Amino acid sequence: MKRSSSAAIGLLLALLGAQSHADEADGVDTRPYISIGGSYVFEDATRDSEGGEGYWLGVGKSFNRFWGLEFSGFRNDFDASRAGGPEWQEQGAEVSALYYYARGESFAPYFSLGAGWVETEEQTSGADASSPFGAAGLGFFKSFALGSTDLGLRGDVRYRWLDADDIAGVSPFEEAVVRLGLVVPLGSRTAPTEAPVSAPAPAKASDADGDGVPDGRDTCPDTASGTTVDANGCPPPLPPATDFEPVSFPFDESGLTDYAKAILDRAAVRMRERLAATPNLLVQLSGHTDWIGTEGYNQALSERRAAAVRDYLVGKGVDGDRVRSFAYGETRPVDSNETEDGRARNRRVELQLSEG
């Protein structure tokens, strides 16, 4: 076995041994993976041959939301383009840095920058060369599930510069390489933490006016239906202008959950009371996201979230002419984006009353 193939296999085994269990960072899959597939090299005119067809095997790992490292070994064969013309064979190894510029949970486009070593042989004459090369390109990973197994597709195109001047009469090769293959992650994803199971609700005590306070401790037993009450069943003083619970959203969604609607139902009652009592008061809504995705996508997502909250409040009787919506994308986190809990708190719309 030639030196480049041995080096490639050694590098692959080293990375495989570095981590065999699942790991996640920034909400993206960072498990090590194996890739295998076919390739096609658009031949440099200096070869005077057909394009090269071959295969490759690689292993890689993402280290965070943006960066990953990959080692691969490859072989390509170039048939003669004419009778008696040259035929080429090459095999080599490459290490590449991957930069993921718009990473999602199932689709991850990337730029790549790599370098390696290749052994090239012109089989007709037997001339050969061992040469370094550099490569740059772009590609994508697309993950999916097949039953209980995680898999992925990936493709890329790269432009490489190969110095083969040990072969007489040959100038450096500049060639485009297209690769398509299958991705197999190693290990299983970290199982999400299950929410604790709630105990059955106790039987409800008698509540004649339906305000949620049992008759036994309701000091205002005839409260009108729909009125907000305190722990004693009486209407409390109007809350401070900023005393509203934020509305949270699932990842990459702008639709309201049942819990979010319950928050807004309560908020709409208080807003109508405050707006009726204070003519110059306005409702201000601010939409936010976590940092997964591009800045432009997150800005648009925060706008959709703020619009969903506005439409719901107006549907509940809040004066739409006195509602102002703002969107900040990922720029104003309230917690760390390094953890799932922190990202969940950042996916929100804040509600506030302020004087116009």
Side-chain angles (χ1 to χ4, degrees):
M1 184 177 294
K2 297 188 177 181
R3 295 190 306 274
S4 59
S5 300
S6 301
I9 292 174
L11 291 173
L12 299 183
L13 294 175
L15 188 54
L16 282 173
Q19 179 172 353
S20 60
H21 63 278
D23 187 16
E24 294 196 11
D26 301 347
V28 297
D29 189 352
T30 59
R31 287 175 291 176
Y33 61 85
I34 294 175
S35 285
I36 186 170
S39 62
Y40 185 85
V41 182
F42 292 88
E43 75 285 357
D44 188 287
T46 307
R47 288 188 186 270
D48 188 22
S49 69
E50 299 287 350
E53 298 179 354
Y55 56 87
W56 54 272
L57 172 67
V59 63
K61 187 182 187 308
S62 296
F63 296 101
N64 53 41
R65 179 188 180 195
F66 298 106
W67 291 101
L69 189 66
E70 187 172 81
F71 299 104
S72 61
F74 60 88
R75 172 174 170 155
N76 295 298
D77 293 284
F78 300 76
D79 292 335
S81 61
R82 56 183 173 79
E87 297 181 0
W88 301 85
Q89 182 185 96
E90 65 177 20
Q91 56 184 351
E94 179 179 359
V95 57
S96 301
L98 307 184
Y99 175 76
Y100 300 94
Y101 57 89
R103 190 159 193 171
E105 291 188 334
S106 63
F107 184 75
Y110 62 84
F111 294 114
S112 67
L113 187 64
W117 198 269
V118 64
E119 296 182 351
T120 303
E121 180 181 359
E122 198 285 284
Q123 295 185 296
T124 303
S125 65
D128 61 12
S130 296
S131 311
F133 70 91
L138 53 87
F140 70 90
F141 287 87
K142 173 63 179 175
S143 60
F144 61 92
L146 184 62
S148 60
T149 303
D150 292 333
L151 293 173
L153 292 174
R154 56 98 52 93
D156 63 35
V157 58
R158 57 187 62 195
Y159 199 77
R160 71 177 188 181
W161 295 265
L162 168 61
D163 183 3
D165 58 3
D166 287 350
I167 300 177
V170 173
S171 60
F173 298 138
E174 297 183 14
E175 298 168 314
V177 182
V178 176
R179 304 193 311 178
L180 184 65
L182 184 68
V183 180
V184 182
L186 302 178
S188 57
R189 286 181 179 270
T190 303
T193 303
E194 295 185 0
V197 178
S198 301
K204 291 186 177 180
S206 176
D207 180 12
D209 57 3
D211 61 1
V213 180
D215 291 340
R217 59 183 177 87
D218 192 342
T219 56
C220 299
D222 299 319
T223 304
S225 177
T227 302
T228 302
V229 298
D230 60 18
N232 297 317
C234 297
L238 291 176
T242 57
D243 188 19
F244 294 102
E245 182 179 351
V247 174
S248 297
F249 292 82
F251 174 75
D252 198 26
E253 293 185 17
S254 58
L256 298 174
T257 64
D258 290 341
Y259 183 72
K261 292 177 181 178
I263 293 174
L264 294 176
D265 288 342
R266 295 190 296 270
V269 173
R270 293 160 54 191
M271 287 178 178
R272 292 197 303 269
E273 294 172 354
R274 293 297 301 269
L275 293 178
T278 311
N280 66 334
L281 209 58
L282 298 175
V283 177
Q284 292 189 348
L285 309 175
S286 59
H288 306 270
T289 71
D290 60 28
W291 70 356
I292 296 179
T294 63
E295 292 183 4
Y297 182 85
N298 286 337
Q299 177 63 31
L301 179 58
S302 66
E303 293 171 3
R304 294 195 298 273
R305 288 173 174 170
V309 172
R310 182 188 188 281
D311 291 345
Y312 191 87
L313 289 174
V314 172
K316 291 295 180 178
V318 178
D319 185 356
D321 292 336
R322 298 172 70 179
V323 180
R324 304 289 184 268
S325 298
F326 304 90
Y328 299 100
E330 63 185 68
T331 62
R332 297 189 179 185
V334 293
D335 206 335
S336 170
N337 275 302
E338 299 289 344
T339 66
E340 177 55 38
D341 288 342
R343 292 190 295 274
R345 282 188 282 273
N346 290 334
R347 300 191 293 264
R348 71 199 188 281
V349 169
E350 296 177 345
L351 302 84
Q352 186 175 10
L353 295 176
S354 63
E355 295 185 359

